[in-house]
Amino acid sequence: MTAMQSLDPADWSDLRALGHRMVDDMFDHLQSLRDRPVWQPMPAELRQELRRPLPHGPMAPEAVYGEFQRLVQPYVTGNLHPRFMGWVHGGGNPIGMLAELLAGAMNANLGGRDHAPVEVERQVIAWAAEMLGFPIDASGVLVTGTSTANLIGVLVARTARLGPSARRDGVGGTGLVAYTSAAAHGCLPRAMEMAGLGREALRMVPCDAQGRMRLDLLQQRIAQDRGQGLRPFLVVGTAGTVDIGAVDDLDAISDVAEREALWFHVDGAFGATAMLAPKLRPLLAGIERADSVAFDFHKWAQVPYDAGCIVVRDAAVQLDTFAADAVYLKREQRGLAGGGVWPCDIGPDLSRGFRALKVWMTLSVYGADRLGAVVQQTCDLAGILAARIDREPALERLAPVALNIVCFRYRAADGDLDRLNAEIVADLQEAGIAAPSTTTVNGVLAIRAAIVNHRTLPVDIAILVDAVLEAGRRRAEAA
Ligand SMILES: *Cc1c(COP(=O)(O)O)cnc(C)c1O
């Protein structure tokens, strides 16, 4: 029997067949990535076609799927492709894709209550703590991404300094100031804005030639702020800066934090995953001493979007930052309303999806060592790319390569090099050959290749460099 308005079909066979076809098509999609352009712009008429008034009537699922195939599937970002090297995007993985289907079918709400999906998330957080060298009783939640995880880090640090009364009284006039490097991600100043502390209260300490925070200048700035009656409360180290992949000296920052009684938070958006690669792990020494770490499973760990994570050493402070006692969230000793601390007690969200399943399945199927080997492989490829650039007279490397990001540019005899290199990047993207992105290093525009994808091979590095050289020559000749 089906309720009159149930959205389930009366006869499941057609929808079941369509579902099987979708799964087959998506496996074809994953198997044929190399045969397609990395990216192609969505034609204006197709964008226009998407814009319609709210549909009041029904449309056959087959027809809607047809629209997906025609309007959406060919025009996605391209980050599954082995030659997508723009920004720091994860490549996803087939098990994660299937996990998304299962999670969608369960439609679990992970705000809280007593059910297995919450246990799965607790397990994922325990694995994250283990990866970071944190105590096993550390707390944490999955969030959309490191932007939100960093915001949580700032809020928890504020609670640690001012106590839970800050939630009632706010932060006005408290004089809290925080520190991070000039190379920190833009979401950190924004986190300070959202926390009501203001981005001016985040001191951006200059970096050394390797892109790491200058600790002498950090010390100076802390002393100067104390001298002015301000209250330093937080220092944020970066494991893998967004522009060049530099790793701060986390051990030394931890020493400073200890001496100065500051909360030590690490933005390890992609870099924290290097803990899974034995050869890279020493670079991150000191991360295990942090009070909190923000990172993404959806970047270097290849879990499909979105899957960010915050882990906090002292569970009580995270609870003090978010727990509320609304009657409709009352805990019981037995039944579905049991289960102790719920995710909604330690993060900003109430209703939350089953992100944890794709993380749990990805880690379970491949294992942490294999994911660490992927991380190592992308760093090795970055080394190959850097060596090739250093051999090519027409190319110039613009930054040291600590992990998986290589910044370089095409050199021409004369002309506006910033403009030329921006055009080269757009040429490559529009031709669908490769998708690096751009950034600015020491005031000049750089072609930035972040090797993140587990599918990338040495041949892809060669194709990228050849394409840059060719586009550069063509543009230089045309000028
Ligand atoms: C990507 C990134 C972020 C932001 O993470 P999202 O998951 O995009 O919110 C923050 N910090 C660094 C260093 C990053 O690379």
Side-chain angles (χ1 to χ4, degrees), residues 145-147 185 187 240 267 269-270 296 298-299:
T146 293
S147 301
H185 193 274
C187 66
D267 175 354
F270 65 98
D296 285 320
H298 61 217
K299 287 180 174 171

Side-chain angles (χ1 to χ4, degrees), residues 88 144-150 183-188 190 238-243 267-271 295-296 298-299 305 307-308 448:
V88 177
T144 43
T146 293
S147 301
T148 298
N150 278 334
H185 193 274
C187 66
L188 279 160
R190 213 162 44 131
T238 303
T241 59
V242 61
D243 282 324
D267 175 354
F270 65 98
F295 74 98
D296 285 320
H298 61 217
K299 287 180 174 171
Y305 286 94
R448 175 173 166 286

Side-chain angles (χ1 to χ4, degrees), residues 123-196:
Q123 180 58 65
V124 163
I125 296 299
W127 283 342
E130 205 178 322
M131 174 183 93
L132 297 168
F134 267 42
I136 200 69
D137 61 347
S139 80
V141 282
L142 296 180
V143 289
T144 43
T146 293
S147 301
T148 298
N150 278 334
L151 171 61
I152 294 174
V154 168
L155 293 172
V156 172
R158 172 216 61 187
T159 306
R161 181 55 192 260
L162 299 176
S165 64
R167 294 171 61 183
R168 184 190 58 220
D169 302 334
V171 291
T174 52
L176 294 189
V177 281
Y179 305 83
T180 194
S181 92
H185 193 274
C187 66
L188 279 160
R190 213 162 44 131
M192 293 289 285
E193 295 170 8
M194 289 191 284

Side-chain angles (χ1 to χ4, degrees), residues 273 276-278 367-380 454:
T273 317
L276 300 178
D369 294 351
R370 175 88 181 276
L371 295 174
V374 167
V375 165
Q376 183 64 55
Q377 168 177 283
T378 59
C379 290
D380 294 346
H454 55 96

Side-chain angles (χ1 to χ4, degrees), residues 3 49 64 67 92 98 115 190 241 244 252-253 264 313 361 370 381 396 399 453 457 474:
E49 230 190 290
V64 177
E67 305 235 289
L98 294 174
H115 53 120
R190 213 162 44 131
T241 59
I244 67 166
I253 296 177
F264 175 31
R313 174 182 305 277
M361 289 187 74
R370 175 88 181 276
L381 288 169
E396 174 185 13
N453 196 309
L457 298 171
R474 203 175 48 237

Side-chain angles (χ1 to χ4, degrees), residues 418-429:
D418 283 5
R419 173 112 192 265
L420 173 64
N421 280 278
E423 300 281 9
I424 290 172
V425 166
D427 285 349
L428 264 55
Q429 291 175 354

